[in-house]
Amino acid sequence: MTKQLNEKQIAAITYLATPKRGGFTYEQIADQVGVDVRTLHRWRRNEAFNKELKRVIVANTIDRLPEVMEAIPDIIIRDGNAAMLRTFLQAHGLLADKVEVESKSDTSGIDIEAIRERLKQR
């Protein structure tokens, strides 16, 4: 991936992948790597640049993942955070994104339209 990126882009990624960008603004990062801030913003819209940025962020933070996973149940319980619960269950393979139901019974003798009409009447 880095073959598609130049040295200045890789330097910018190093700054951007640092928590809170190392305290630098976009303007300061652009100045540090020797480009105009508009160039930095243009790079941020580049798929290869963002893919490498995400890779570096993951590489920099992977060691903290066990701590994060350990803290999540307490946060879910304390805050009643349903979205975090869903994410936690998905991470553990306990919640499927999609459920498929397959019927193995013969429905040829069932009048679906009659059932729909009965439901509308309720």
Side-chain angles (χ1 to χ4, degrees), residues 1-6 9-10 52:
M1 176 60 58
T2 55
K3 291 178 182 177
Q4 296 177 6
L5 303 174
N6 64 44
Q9 289 173 312
I10 293 168
E52 181 64 10

Side-chain angles (χ1 to χ4, degrees), residues 58-107:
V58 169
N60 290 348
T61 59
I62 196 74
D63 292 341
R64 303 278 322 261
L65 187 58
E67 294 172 62
V68 171
M69 295 303 286
E70 184 178 356
I72 289 174
D74 293 332
I75 296 168
I76 292 168
I77 292 166
R78 183 189 69 227
D79 299 344
N81 189 326
M84 190 174 282
L85 173 62
R86 177 182 170 87
T87 302
F88 186 74
L89 292 173
Q90 284 175 326
H92 285 80
L94 300 172
L95 185 63
D97 285 332
K98 181 177 168 182
V99 176
E100 292 185 23
V101 178
E102 183 179 323
S103 174
K104 296 189 183 236
S105 61
D106 180 17
T107 60

Side-chain angles (χ1 to χ4, degrees), residues 27 36 46 48 50 52 55 58 66 69-70 73 96 102 113 119:
E27 289 79 10
D36 187 274
N46 177 285
N50 284 317
E52 181 64 10
R55 188 196 68 73
V58 169
M69 295 303 286
E70 184 178 356
E102 183 179 323
E113 286 305 315
L119 290 172

Side-chain angles (χ1 to χ4, degrees), residues 16-77:
L16 292 169
T18 304
K20 297 188 181 183
R21 297 187 304 266
F24 291 108
T25 65
Y26 267 48
E27 289 79 10
Q28 291 169 323
I29 293 170
D31 188 52
Q32 289 290 319
V33 299
V35 297
D36 187 274
V37 70
R38 291 174 296 198
T39 300
L40 182 58
H41 285 290
R42 190 175 68 251
W43 290 346
R44 290 290 291 140
R45 293 188 301 270
N46 177 285
E47 184 179 344
F49 184 91
N50 284 317
K51 189 173 183 178
E52 181 64 10
L53 175 58
K54 289 175 189 175
R55 188 196 68 73
V56 172
I57 290 170
V58 169
N60 290 348
T61 59
I62 196 74
D63 292 341
R64 303 278 322 261
L65 187 58
E67 294 172 62
V68 171
M69 295 303 286
E70 184 178 356
I72 289 174
D74 293 332
I75 296 168
I76 292 168
I77 292 166

